[in-house]
């Protein structure tokens, strides 16, 4: 299993390009199931989660052509097996995103239940409830969701909580339904908007994406199309935190600050100097960061996917910060690993009290989930001495060529096989 060896203490400097957004690309790949014609995508990141999704779509009969760069063409003309088996779903919860499109296009779907994951139970009851409201017959047997519907019918759906993939699944199901669907309490995440833009390019009729009420007027069929995936706001935020924690000065290109207000605000509070251009962001860190308290919540509030990275920067900041996690019930697993590096963190339920220390010291730590891994990388870059991060397959799920990008910014980092 690969490990990452970091020799910390080097301020990051230089310029690096941000990749396409994993959480936008995954639902958009699934959108290809809705039309039996080619969907040409660009800015698709090279990540293990993307490879998993392509394998899943491939075994359903979708033809996948890659251009060797960041372009992929998907043609679901030959779709013949609307099944997502457990073996594939268990490694990536986002596989549940095939449920809505398969049901809409094929009239049936058999998708393994994703089960729990390290950061929490993460049920899919809202996905199922919404599809049932649209007339689907759904049973859960032997760990699989079996869904059937001759043609889905438009419905008014109010989700019990804000769910990102739930909103995406229901939006994809609704584009081919008979009549109008209204999703209320919809997720407002930019990735939902990117998916909606792609669906519209394929002939869907959607309004309100980016607000909490999305209206979808069903059409008979979608056609092929082309779409460029949005830049990854979480990868962007992660590199900004890495620069902040190391006292660095970096410029990120092929990205946008448009969806990062809550994150940039916290970096400004921490004392960083942030300059925003149309598709670039520059961050210059102060000699010592100030601790910043935060509370995660659905977009546009502070993203749960940036919580761990900010915990890492608070570890080396001046003062104390309260970090409150409201989305997932078990998302502080990085704390015990950060403590191994010398951090001062006290956890009480969904709240962490982080008191900054003068210096972290390298140690061997274990990555437990994707963003937890990112926080360990940031802490390792800021620490004195060597940090060895084990189980970095989590990182490879969501960060494209991370050691290469960090090395370009001057970090002393290498992959140990
Ligand atoms: C997506 C993101 C993930 C991010 C999360 C929250 C993708 C591929 N993943 O995950 O990176 O951390 O949004 O921003 O886009 N819930 C239910 N029942 C449901 C659905 C959700 O109880 O049917 C709960 C979840 O357990 C969680 C909360 O709702 O507590 C929000 O989860 P959700 O927005 O659905 O997360 P994902 O879409 O899985």
């Amino acid at each position: 299993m690969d490990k990452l060896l970091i020799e910390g203490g080097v301020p990051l400097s230089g310029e690096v390009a941000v990749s396409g957004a994993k959480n936008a690309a995954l639902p958009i790949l699934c959108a290809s199931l809705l039309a039996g014609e080619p969907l040409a995508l660009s800015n698709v990141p090279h990540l293990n989660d993307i490879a998993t999704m392509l394998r899943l779509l491939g075994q359903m009969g979708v033809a996948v052509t890659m251009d060797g760069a960041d372009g992929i063409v998907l043609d679901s003309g030959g779709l013949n097996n609307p099944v997502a088996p457990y073996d594939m779903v268990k490694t990536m919860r986002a596989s549940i995103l095939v449920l809505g499109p398969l049901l809409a296009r094929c009239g049936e779907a058999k998708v393994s239940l994703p089960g729990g994951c390290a950061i929490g139970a993460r049920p899919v009851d809202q996905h199922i409830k919404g599809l049932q409201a649209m007339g689907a017959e759904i049973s859960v047997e032997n760990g699989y969701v079996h869904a059937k519907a001759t043609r889905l019918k438009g419905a008014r759906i109010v989700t019990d909580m804000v769910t990102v993939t739930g909103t995406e699944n229901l939006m994809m199901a609704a584009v081919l339904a008979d009549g109008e669907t209204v999703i209320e309490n919809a997720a407002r995440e930019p990735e939902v908007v990117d998916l909606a833009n792609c669906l519209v390019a394929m002939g869907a009729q959607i309004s309100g994406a980016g607000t909490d009420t999305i209206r979808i007027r069903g059409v008979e069929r979608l056609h092929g199309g082309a779409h460029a995936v949005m830049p990854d706001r979480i990868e962007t935020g992660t590199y900004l935190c890495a620069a902040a924690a190391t006292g660095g000065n970096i410029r990120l290109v092929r990205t946008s600050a448009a969806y990062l207000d809550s994150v940039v605000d916290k970096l400004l509070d921490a004392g960083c100097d942030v300059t925003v251009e149309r598709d670039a962001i520059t961050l210059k860190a102060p000699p010592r960061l100030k601790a910043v308290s935060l509370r995660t919540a659905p977009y546009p509030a502070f993203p749960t996917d940036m919580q761990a990275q900010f915990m890492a920067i608070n570890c080396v900041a001046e003062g104390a910060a309260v970090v409150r996690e409201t989305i997932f019930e078990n998302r502080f697993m990085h704390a015990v690993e950060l403590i191994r590096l010398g951090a001062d963190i006290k956890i009480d339920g969904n709240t962490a009290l982080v008191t900054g220390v003068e210096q972290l010291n390298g140690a061997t730590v274990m990555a437990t989930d994707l963003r937890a891994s990112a926080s360990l990388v940031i802490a390792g870059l800021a620490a004195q001495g060597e940090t060895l991060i084990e189980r970095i397959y989590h990182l490879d799920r969501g960060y494209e060529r991370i050691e290469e990008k960090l090395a370009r910014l001057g970090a002393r980092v290498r992959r140990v096989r």
Side-chain angles (χ1 to χ4, degrees):
M1 236 182 268
D2 288 7
K3 302 172 184 183
L4 206 64
L5 184 65
I6 300 175
E7 201 187 322
V10 182
L12 298 189
S13 78
E15 183 173 297
V16 84
V18 169
S19 302
K22 169 179 88 75
N23 285 355
L26 289 171
I28 287 171
L29 293 176
C30 296
S32 71
L33 292 166
L34 288 161
E37 296 176 11
L39 173 64
L41 302 175
S42 56
N43 206 30
V44 181
H46 292 260
L47 298 170
N48 284 353
D49 273 8
I50 298 293
T52 304
M53 187 61 90
L54 292 176
R55 267 202 312 281
L56 180 61
L57 296 175
Q59 64 85 40
M60 292 175 184
V62 177
V64 178
T65 317
M66 297 196 247
D67 68 3
D70 61 12
I72 296 184
V73 179
L74 300 117
D75 187 344
S76 67
L79 176 62
N80 56 15
N81 181 32
V83 177
Y86 175 68
D87 273 356
M88 290 185 164
V89 176
K90 74 173 183 204
T91 62
M92 187 182 64
R93 288 186 41 84
S95 312
I96 193 71
L97 284 164
V98 299
L99 180 62
L102 282 179
L103 184 58
R105 168 99 184 278
C106 307
E108 61 175 325
K110 184 179 167 194
V111 178
S112 171
L113 276 173
C117 75
I119 62 174
R122 298 178 87 174
V124 291
D125 55 308
Q126 301 302 308
H127 304 231
I128 292 175
K129 198 180 93 173
L131 293 173
Q132 282 171 331
M134 296 169 76
E137 274 177 42
I138 299 189
S139 61
V140 180
E141 281 164 33
N142 309 325
Y144 277 81
V145 181
H146 295 252
K148 279 196 172 164
T150 29
R151 186 171 180 199
L152 292 168
K153 291 185 182 51
R156 178 170 171 266
I157 301 165
V158 186
T159 57
D160 292 352
M161 78 286 293
V162 176
T163 156
V164 178
T165 50
T167 301
E168 292 165 344
N169 231 340
L170 297 175
M171 188 163 73
M172 287 192 278
V175 293
L176 292 181
D178 183 14
E180 186 182 68
T181 299
V182 181
I183 307 174
E184 300 209 30
N185 199 24
R188 292 180 283 169
E189 266 67 3
E191 292 76 13
V192 173
V193 179
D194 208 34
L195 170 64
N197 289 341
C198 176
L199 291 168
V200 167
M202 297 165 73
Q205 294 187 11
I206 301 173
S207 63
T211 74
D212 61 7
T213 306
I214 304 180
R215 287 175 194 277
I216 305 118
R217 179 154 294 283
V219 295
E220 288 285 335
R221 56 177 51 243
L222 293 190
H223 49 71
H227 181 77
V229 175
M230 66 178 283
D232 197 312
R233 65 193 168 102
I234 306 300
E235 188 195 17
T236 304
T238 301
Y239 282 103
L240 293 177
C241 284
T246 58
N249 183 352
I250 65 165
R251 182 163 184 267
L252 299 175
V253 296
R254 293 190 64 183
T255 187
S256 163
Y259 313 114
L260 271 172
D261 284 349
S262 59
V263 169
V264 169
D265 281 354
K266 292 291 172 193
L267 289 167
L268 293 172
D269 290 349
C272 297
D273 196 358
V274 181
T275 313
V276 170
E277 296 160 71
R278 209 174 72 87
D279 39 26
I281 307 177
T282 303
L283 179 140
K284 188 170 181 302
R288 178 106 197 254
L289 294 166
K290 291 192 284 267
V292 283
S293 293
L294 57 95
R295 175 180 176 277
T296 66
Y299 188 85
F302 191 89
T304 174
D305 284 352
M306 283 302 303
Q307 178 257 106
Q309 299 89 319
F310 268 76
M311 191 179 289
I313 70 171
N314 278 325
C315 288
V316 291
E318 189 183 344
V322 176
V323 175
R324 199 158 281 149
E325 171 61 52
T326 77
I327 308 283
F328 293 112
E329 63 271 24
N330 188 24
R331 210 172 193 182
F332 281 149
M333 282 169 303
H334 40 284
V336 282
E337 301 298 313
L338 292 169
I339 290 169
R340 292 174 54 74
L341 298 172
D344 180 352
I345 305 171
K346 293 191 177 53
I347 305 281
D348 180 11
N350 71 346
T351 302
L353 175 66
V354 189
T355 307
V357 296
E358 286 285 337
Q359 187 185 301
L360 296 175
N361 291 301
T364 297
V365 290
M366 198 172 72
T368 48
D369 65 69
L370 173 54
R371 307 305 169 184
S373 318
S375 80
L376 297 178
V377 171
I378 293 167
L381 291 167
Q384 291 301 316
E386 275 189 3
T387 295
L388 184 66
I389 306 180
E390 299 190 340
R391 299 200 182 168
I392 58 158
Y393 57 83
H394 291 293
L395 271 179
D396 294 332
R397 289 186 40 219
Y399 290 93
E400 184 172 31
R401 294 180 284 112
I402 185 163
E403 69 273 31
E404 216 179 295
K405 291 192 185 187
L406 286 172
R408 199 169 301 158
L409 296 172
R412 287 182 295 222
V413 52
R414 74 188 157 89
R415 185 176 287 257
V416 187
R417 295 193 192 272

